[in-house]
Amino acid sequence: PFDVLVVGGGPAGAAAAIYAARKGIRTGVVTERFGGQVLDTMGIENFISVPHTEGPRLVAQLEQHVKDYAVDVMNLQKAVALKPANGDGLATVELESGAALRAKTVILSTGARWRQMGVPGEDEYRNKGVAYCPHCDGPLYKGKRTAVIGGGNSGVEAAIDLAGIVAHVTLIEFDSQLRADAVLQTKLRSLPNVTIITSALTTEVIGDGEKVTGLVYRDRTTDEVRTVELEGIFVQIGLVPNTEWLNGALAMTNRGEIEIDSHLATSLPGVFAAGDVTTVPFKQIVIAMGEGSKAALSAFDYLIRH
Ligand code: FAD
């Protein structure tokens, strides 16, 4: 059995594997797609000490760093169930292939995915004007016109954040009113370069073949179809944690995020969780790496006490 089995090979899982392996304990990583969301990222400018890199490049470096250690990397394998330890102190992770892996401690780092609008042009112009992370990509739109899709807390926060950087922000909400906290709405309405459009369904992202040039929405009260000319669209309609496979095996919030304590322990003894899949505030690469490292040190601490 593994001493530490990491499920999910994004930045959190890679960091966890390196920290665990450096303790000289038997470490495995099982992952659907090594690299995680970083693989889908173009420019990365907030990976501290590296002023600029690109997703695939960072993933190659992560992979090399993990391979420098005796880590058993099982790529292209999907976990489908977690069975808590019973008498023998070993938890079981079942894979889609039918295989089962046993481990004294498990680190869950299966990440999350941004909910997409599912409209024409969204896929085509991803990273070419369609963005999901204002902390990451906001500065790329300095002085440009942007829209934020979604009037919940994350959408309104994104709009306030962007308004300080970009020329103009159009916030588009499907419902007849914004759903964000009142204090955020008040702040948003006080900003001179923000337009709020409610009861609007985004129907298309338009571009010139290279990059985004606008978006189309339908006014749900009048059925009129309108076009907004802009350079950037930030989609903020939800970040969905990849926890469906856990089937409620451990405590999660009503949004499906795994609940963790300050040492990244979950509600199951010997099972830790790190990165975007958890309740950790702010989902970023450096944060996921720090969390993965913490989870491995906590798992090691657990092992020496059991
Ligand atoms: P993830 O990266 O989501 O990795 C999860 C891993 O788990 C993946 O390998 C996945 O295949 C695997 N997995 C999922 N389910 C299973 C399963 N059932 N069984 C086995 N494996 C599974 N952050 C920044 O700091 N800077 C940026 O510039 C930046 N830009 C971004 C741009 C885009 C387009 C996106 C989508 C995100 C961006 N982020 C950026 C956010 C950043 O990528 C994430 O915060 C970070 O990748 C989270 O790491 P993680 O390891 O927790 O999860």
Side-chain angles (χ1 to χ4, degrees):
F2 291 101
D3 291 312
V4 175
L5 177 63
V6 181
V7 186
I18 291 168
Y19 263 75
R22 285 172 58 79
K23 295 292 183 188
I25 55 183
R26 194 157 175 237
T27 305
V29 180
V30 60
T31 185
E32 223 179 323
R33 198 171 66 125
F34 188 90
Q37 293 169 68
V38 180
L39 274 180
D40 303 324
T41 304
M42 292 317 289
I44 299 171
E45 300 188 340
N46 58 2
F47 186 53
I48 306 308
S49 85
V50 180
H52 180 90
T53 187
E54 269 148 28
R57 177 146 184 241
L58 179 56
V59 171
Q61 288 169 322
L62 273 180
E63 197 164 12
Q64 186 52 53
H65 198 175
V66 170
K67 284 185 174 157
D68 285 349
Y69 293 93
V71 176
D72 191 350
V73 179
M74 295 156 275
N75 197 5
L76 310 179
Q77 300 286 334
K78 183 174 185 179
V80 292
L82 169 70
K83 299 273 150 68
N86 40 36
D88 59 4
L90 296 177
T92 306
V93 173
E94 293 175 4
L95 306 184
E96 197 171 50
S97 68
L101 304 170
R102 313 213 66 206
K104 293 180 189 161
T105 66
V106 176
I107 295 174
L108 303 170
S109 51
T110 46
R113 54 191 191 273
W114 292 97
R115 183 168 283 137
Q116 293 176 249
M117 297 183 288
V119 301
E122 181 177 20
D123 272 343
E124 188 183 347
Y125 292 107
R126 171 163 327 145
N127 293 322
K128 297 172 185 163
V130 176
Y132 297 85
C133 177
H135 309 304
C136 314
D137 296 342
L140 305 178
Y141 295 90
K142 188 166 192 262
K144 300 198 168 144
R145 297 164 299 178
T146 61
V148 171
I149 312 299
N153 279 337
S154 50
V156 172
E157 278 171 16
I160 294 168
D161 174 0
L162 289 168
I165 302 171
V166 306
H168 189 264
V169 182
T170 304
L171 182 104
I172 298 192
E173 164 59 41
F174 175 80
D175 211 345
S176 59
Q177 56 187 24
L178 303 184
R179 288 158 295 124
D181 297 343
V183 48
L184 291 172
Q185 294 196 34
T186 305
K187 172 80 189 180
L188 183 72
R189 290 182 209 280
S190 75
L191 300 172
N193 59 340
V194 174
T195 307
I196 301 169
I197 303 176
T198 53
S199 300
L201 173 67
T202 306
T203 54
E204 193 179 349
V205 172
I206 47 180
D208 61 8
E210 303 257 293
K211 53 186 174 15
V212 166
T213 57
L215 72 75
V216 182
Y217 72 90
R218 182 166 59 79
D219 183 324
R220 296 173 60 234
T221 48
T222 63
D223 262 349
E224 270 174 281
V225 172
R226 300 215 167 121
T227 301
V228 183
E229 286 180 16
L230 44 68
E231 287 75 41
I233 302 169
F234 285 81
V235 183
Q236 296 289 305
I237 52 176
L239 183 66
V240 189
N242 298 319
T243 50
E244 294 87 351
W245 69 279
L246 288 162
N247 239 318
L250 71 186
M252 296 181 206
T253 65
N254 56 9
R255 290 163 57 197
E257 291 176 337
I258 300 174
E259 286 181 4
I260 47 170
D261 70 9
S262 62
H263 284 65
L264 310 202
T266 69
S267 60
L268 287 178
V271 178
F272 301 84
D276 282 16
V277 77
T278 71
T279 51
V280 70
F282 311 118
K283 316 300 200 209
Q284 295 281 282
I285 297 166
V286 285
I287 293 174
M289 287 182 174
E291 293 287 295
S293 312
K294 267 156 75 179
L297 296 175
S298 290
F300 182 69
D301 193 49
Y302 178 92
L303 287 169
I304 58 180
R305 287 160 194 274
H306 286 81

